[in-house]
Amino acid sequence: MDINTIGVVGAGQMGNGIAHVMALAGYDVLLNDISQDALDAAVGRIDKNLERQVSREKISAEAKAEAMARINTTLKLPDLGTTDLVIEAATEREEIKHQIFDTLKPHLGPDTILTSNTSSISITRLASRTDHPERFMGFHFMNPVPMMKLVELIRGIATDEPTYQTCLNIVERLGKTAASAEDFPAFIVNRILIPMINEACYTLYEGVGNVASIDNAMKLGANHPMGPLELADFIGLDTCLAIMNVLHDGLADTKYRPCPLLTKYVEAGWLGRKTKRGFYDYRGDVPVPTR
């Protein structure tokens, strides 16, 4: 299938990153959100991130200008119906994703491909609520999108081969690598990563180590670039908890029980970097462990 225009639902951290790489690869992008402030902030962030690439001589100033010219925004979700491929990158709540696809349904072209950037929710279940489940699949980018080289491609039970091949071709055009995953809870990366973060939360909860010792142990002892609790703050503790709940509910195995301390932080609204507090307090010049 020939893809020229791409609609992105959600102008948050993932959505603006997806719009960034798609526009830089030559696709016309229509970015949607329910908030004009969010759209304006996303365009500003894309401009800043592209400028950083120019300063590092990763791209030319001309390439940046062309990419910015390819990005348009809209508050009206039905406007995305005219695009060749839609990537939903809204919050990780299944009912919201269903509402988005239900709203888009009557406005889609006959060949439009629908995809979700979900990090854990069943692609088959999301696809089942659409008119054409064969043209639906998981298109999971890693954060931060412009830097991370991997994209998980997840086929639902009904996804057809042309849809998969089209998305695979897009990944290759972006200069990224695709990992094909089966449609099981959390797919590959988060099936392994988020339980590790959850175990780090238990290690903290049980007093085996404090925040600094746990993160330093994994950075220096396992050569991880970022400690698991620091990484949890970067991802968002609400997202980590949501994925653990998907794993626990979907696989019915007690080893995926979310740590009570993780739940408590989320209940407190301490969600990590985006709220300035999580396992670290980011309100000062230097992050300070909260435990």
Side-chain angles (χ1 to χ4, degrees):
M1 300 179 190
D2 193 19
I3 304 296
N4 297 302
T5 57
I6 292 178
V8 180
V9 183
Q13 196 170 35
M14 296 304 295
N16 78 65
I18 294 168
H20 172 145
V21 298
M22 291 296 181
L24 198 56
Y27 295 102
D28 290 326
V29 177
L30 186 57
L31 181 61
N32 162 262
D33 201 279
I34 58 173
S35 161
Q36 186 61 50
D37 288 345
L39 289 172
D40 293 341
V43 172
R45 181 171 291 277
I46 294 168
D47 185 83
K48 181 180 177 181
N49 289 338
L50 284 167
E51 186 57 40
R52 185 180 294 119
Q53 289 180 290
V54 172
S55 67
R56 294 176 180 174
E57 299 183 348
K58 301 287 187 183
I59 63 172
S60 67
E62 183 182 11
K64 177 202 167 182
E66 290 173 353
M68 290 302 299
R70 293 188 190 105
I71 299 172
N72 289 292
T73 64
T74 180
L75 291 169
K76 299 175 183 177
L77 184 58
D79 288 351
L80 272 60
T82 60
T83 61
D84 300 322
L85 180 142
V86 175
I87 303 172
E88 172 274 313
T91 187
E92 192 70 352
R93 287 172 55 191
E94 187 167 343
E95 64 272 19
I96 290 176
K97 296 182 186 297
H98 283 308
Q99 288 170 12
I100 288 167
F101 294 127
D102 286 346
T103 301
L104 279 170
K105 191 185 299 183
H107 304 282
L108 296 174
D111 298 316
T112 300
I113 294 175
L114 281 179
T115 67
S116 176
N117 185 59
T118 179
S119 52
S120 61
I121 298 168
S122 167
I123 298 303
T124 297
R125 198 161 63 238
L126 290 174
S128 69
R129 293 272 293 268
T130 70
D131 285 343
H132 300 285
E134 69 277 6
R135 293 200 300 276
F136 190 106
M137 69 179 298
F139 209 173
H140 181 216
F141 289 82
M142 306 295 122
N143 185 33
V145 179
M147 293 176 59
M148 301 296 278
K149 295 297 185 183
L150 184 75
V151 181
E152 284 183 319
L153 294 180
I154 307 102
R155 279 184 266 208
I157 196 169
T159 305
D160 64 21
E161 187 63 19
T163 297
Y164 171 78
Q165 288 297 331
T166 299
C167 291
L168 180 61
N169 290 340
I170 292 171
V171 173
E172 291 171 351
R173 180 165 160 179
L174 295 176
K176 297 185 184 294
T177 299
S180 296
E182 293 300 316
D183 186 23
F184 288 97
F187 319 129
I188 297 172
V189 173
N190 285 325
R191 173 74 176 265
I192 297 167
L193 176 64
I194 302 300
M196 183 199 76
I197 288 173
N198 194 55
E199 195 61 31
C201 295
Y202 270 114
T203 305
L204 179 64
Y205 177 62
E206 294 169 5
V208 179
N210 59 27
V211 169
S213 63
I214 291 167
D215 277 353
N216 284 332
M218 294 307 292
K219 284 192 285 188
L220 301 177
N223 206 28
H224 289 193
M226 191 182 290
L229 300 175
E230 183 185 3
L231 180 57
D233 277 356
F234 180 75
I235 294 169
L237 304 193
D238 52 339
T239 300
C240 293
L241 180 60
I243 295 170
M244 283 308 302
N245 281 324
V246 166
L247 282 165
H248 192 233
D249 295 343
L251 298 171
D253 192 324
T254 55
K255 73 179 181 179
Y256 297 116
R257 183 171 69 97
C259 177
L261 184 62
L262 176 60
T263 302
K264 190 172 291 293
Y265 268 71
V266 173
E267 288 173 345
W270 291 19
L271 307 181
R273 291 191 186 186
K274 60 188 173 185
T275 59
K276 302 295 185 185
R277 280 194 290 187
F279 290 114
Y280 292 84
D281 189 325
Y282 300 92
R283 293 174 296 176
D285 294 334
V286 177
V288 177
T290 53
R291 281 181 177 255

mmCIF file with all atom_site columns, all heavy atoms in Angstrom, residues 7 63 117 129 204-205 249 287:
data_model
loop_
_atom_site.group_PDB
_atom_site.id
_atom_site.type_symbol
_atom_site.label_atom_id
_atom_site.label_alt_id
_atom_site.label_comp_id
_atom_site.label_asym_id
_atom_site.label_entity_id
_atom_site.label_seq_id
_atom_site.pdbx_PDB_ins_code
_atom_site.Cartn_x
_atom_site.Cartn_y
_atom_site.Cartn_z
_atom_site.occupancy
_atom_site.B_iso_or_equiv
_atom_site.pdbx_formal_charge
_atom_site.auth_seq_id
_atom_site.auth_comp_id
_atom_site.auth_asym_id
_atom_site.auth_atom_id
_atom_site.pdbx_PDB_model_num
ATOM 1  N N   . GLY A 1 7   ? -1.787  10.244  10.051 1.00 0.00 ? 7   GLY A N   1
ATOM 2  C CA  . GLY A 1 7   ? -2.474  10.923  11.148 1.00 0.00 ? 7   GLY A CA  1
ATOM 3  C C   . GLY A 1 7   ? -1.961  10.387  12.476 1.00 0.00 ? 7   GLY A C   1
ATOM 4  O O   . GLY A 1 7   ? -1.805  9.176   12.632 1.00 0.00 ? 7   GLY A O   1
ATOM 5  N N   . ALA A 1 63  ? 16.584  20.209  5.786  1.00 0.00 ? 63  ALA A N   1
ATOM 6  C CA  . ALA A 1 63  ? 15.770  19.038  6.134  1.00 0.00 ? 63  ALA A CA  1
ATOM 7  C C   . ALA A 1 63  ? 14.835  19.362  7.296  1.00 0.00 ? 63  ALA A C   1
ATOM 8  O O   . ALA A 1 63  ? 13.677  18.924  7.321  1.00 0.00 ? 63  ALA A O   1
ATOM 9  C CB  . ALA A 1 63  ? 16.675  17.861  6.498  1.00 0.00 ? 63  ALA A CB  1
ATOM 10 N N   . ASN A 1 117 ? -0.186  2.691   19.101 1.00 0.00 ? 117 ASN A N   1
ATOM 11 C CA  . ASN A 1 117 ? 1.128   2.706   19.741 1.00 0.00 ? 117 ASN A CA  1
ATOM 12 C C   . ASN A 1 117 ? 1.063   2.104   21.145 1.00 0.00 ? 117 ASN A C   1
ATOM 13 O O   . ASN A 1 117 ? 1.988   2.281   21.932 1.00 0.00 ? 117 ASN A O   1
ATOM 14 C CB  . ASN A 1 117 ? 1.647   4.156   19.808 1.00 0.00 ? 117 ASN A CB  1
ATOM 15 C CG  . ASN A 1 117 ? 3.063   4.245   20.344 1.00 0.00 ? 117 ASN A CG  1
ATOM 16 O OD1 . ASN A 1 117 ? 3.988   3.668   19.796 1.00 0.00 ? 117 ASN A OD1 1
ATOM 17 N ND2 . ASN A 1 117 ? 3.235   4.966   21.450 1.00 0.00 ? 117 ASN A ND2 1
ATOM 18 N N   . ARG A 1 129 ? -13.229 -3.942  17.432 1.00 0.00 ? 129 ARG A N   1
ATOM 19 C CA  . ARG A 1 129 ? -14.242 -2.890  17.482 1.00 0.00 ? 129 ARG A CA  1
ATOM 20 C C   . ARG A 1 129 ? -14.243 -2.025  16.222 1.00 0.00 ? 129 ARG A C   1
ATOM 21 O O   . ARG A 1 129 ? -15.023 -1.077  16.116 1.00 0.00 ? 129 ARG A O   1
ATOM 22 C CB  . ARG A 1 129 ? -13.992 -2.004  18.712 1.00 0.00 ? 129 ARG A CB  1
ATOM 23 C CG  . ARG A 1 129 ? -14.204 -2.706  20.053 1.00 0.00 ? 129 ARG A CG  1
ATOM 24 C CD  . ARG A 1 129 ? -15.649 -2.611  20.497 1.00 0.00 ? 129 ARG A CD  1
ATOM 25 N NE  . ARG A 1 129 ? -15.994 -1.226  20.808 1.00 0.00 ? 129 ARG A NE  1
ATOM 26 C CZ  . ARG A 1 129 ? -15.885 -0.690  22.033 1.00 0.00 ? 129 ARG A CZ  1
ATOM 27 N NH1 . ARG A 1 129 ? -15.438 -1.420  23.036 1.00 0.00 ? 129 ARG A NH1 1
ATOM 28 N NH2 . ARG A 1 129 ? -16.247 0.562   22.241 1.00 0.00 ? 129 ARG A NH2 1
ATOM 29 N N   . LEU A 1 204 ? 12.780  -1.977  46.835 1.00 0.00 ? 204 LEU A N   1
ATOM 30 C CA  . LEU A 1 204 ? 12.690  -0.753  47.639 1.00 0.00 ? 204 LEU A CA  1
ATOM 31 C C   . LEU A 1 204 ? 11.654  -0.913  48.746 1.00 0.00 ? 204 LEU A C   1
ATOM 32 O O   . LEU A 1 204 ? 11.905  -0.553  49.916 1.00 0.00 ? 204 LEU A O   1
ATOM 33 C CB  . LEU A 1 204 ? 12.311  0.414   46.722 1.00 0.00 ? 204 LEU A CB  1
ATOM 34 C CG  . LEU A 1 204 ? 12.133  1.787   47.366 1.00 0.00 ? 204 LEU A CG  1
ATOM 35 C CD1 . LEU A 1 204 ? 13.449  2.277   47.969 1.00 0.00 ? 204 LEU A CD1 1
ATOM 36 C CD2 . LEU A 1 204 ? 11.608  2.800   46.344 1.00 0.00 ? 204 LEU A CD2 1
ATOM 37 N N   . TYR A 1 205 ? 10.498  -1.453  48.415 1.00 0.00 ? 205 TYR A N   1
ATOM 38 C CA  . TYR A 1 205 ? 9.374   -1.656  49.338 1.00 0.00 ? 205 TYR A CA  1
ATOM 39 C C   . TYR A 1 205 ? 9.786   -2.523  50.531 1.00 0.00 ? 205 TYR A C   1
ATOM 40 O O   . TYR A 1 205 ? 9.405   -2.261  51.686 1.00 0.00 ? 205 TYR A O   1
ATOM 41 C CB  . TYR A 1 205 ? 8.237   -2.291  48.549 1.00 0.00 ? 205 TYR A CB  1
ATOM 42 C CG  . TYR A 1 205 ? 6.995   -2.667  49.303 1.00 0.00 ? 205 TYR A CG  1
ATOM 43 C CD1 . TYR A 1 205 ? 6.226   -1.708  49.958 1.00 0.00 ? 205 TYR A CD1 1
ATOM 44 C CD2 . TYR A 1 205 ? 6.535   -3.995  49.304 1.00 0.00 ? 205 TYR A CD2 1
ATOM 45 C CE1 . TYR A 1 205 ? 5.050   -2.057  50.619 1.00 0.00 ? 205 TYR A CE1 1
ATOM 46 C CE2 . TYR A 1 205 ? 5.375   -4.351  49.952 1.00 0.00 ? 205 TYR A CE2 1
ATOM 47 C CZ  . TYR A 1 205 ? 4.627   -3.385  50.616 1.00 0.00 ? 205 TYR A CZ  1
ATOM 48 O OH  . TYR A 1 205 ? 3.456   -3.732  51.254 1.00 0.00 ? 205 TYR A OH  1
ATOM 49 N N   . ASP A 1 249 ? -3.690  -9.087  34.861 1.00 0.00 ? 249 ASP A N   1
ATOM 50 C CA  . ASP A 1 249 ? -5.041  -9.485  34.454 1.00 0.00 ? 249 ASP A CA  1
ATOM 51 C C   . ASP A 1 249 ? -5.013  -10.457 33.275 1.00 0.00 ? 249 ASP A C   1
ATOM 52 O O   . ASP A 1 249 ? -5.778  -11.423 33.223 1.00 0.00 ? 249 ASP A O   1
ATOM 53 C CB  . ASP A 1 249 ? -5.863  -8.251  34.068 1.00 0.00 ? 249 ASP A CB  1
ATOM 54 C CG  . ASP A 1 249 ? -6.122  -7.318  35.240 1.00 0.00 ? 249 ASP A CG  1
ATOM 55 O OD1 . ASP A 1 249 ? -5.950  -7.757  36.392 1.00 0.00 ? 249 ASP A OD1 1
ATOM 56 O OD2 . ASP A 1 249 ? -6.474  -6.152  34.998 1.00 0.00 ? 249 ASP A OD2 1
ATOM 57 N N   . PRO A 1 287 ? 18.002  15.981  40.776 1.00 0.00 ? 287 PRO A N   1
ATOM 58 C CA  . PRO A 1 287 ? 17.014  15.025  41.300 1.00 0.00 ? 287 PRO A CA  1
ATOM 59 C C   . PRO A 1 287 ? 17.459  14.432  42.635 1.00 0.00 ? 287 PRO A C   1
ATOM 60 O O   . PRO A 1 287 ? 18.603  14.036  42.796 1.00 0.00 ? 287 PRO A O   1
ATOM 61 C CB  . PRO A 1 287 ? 16.954  13.950  40.205 1.00 0.00 ? 287 PRO A CB  1
ATOM 62 C CG  . PRO A 1 287 ? 17.418  14.626  38.976 1.00 0.00 ? 287 PRO A CG  1
ATOM 63 C CD  . PRO A 1 287 ? 18.465  15.602  39.436 1.00 0.00 ? 287 PRO A CD  1
#
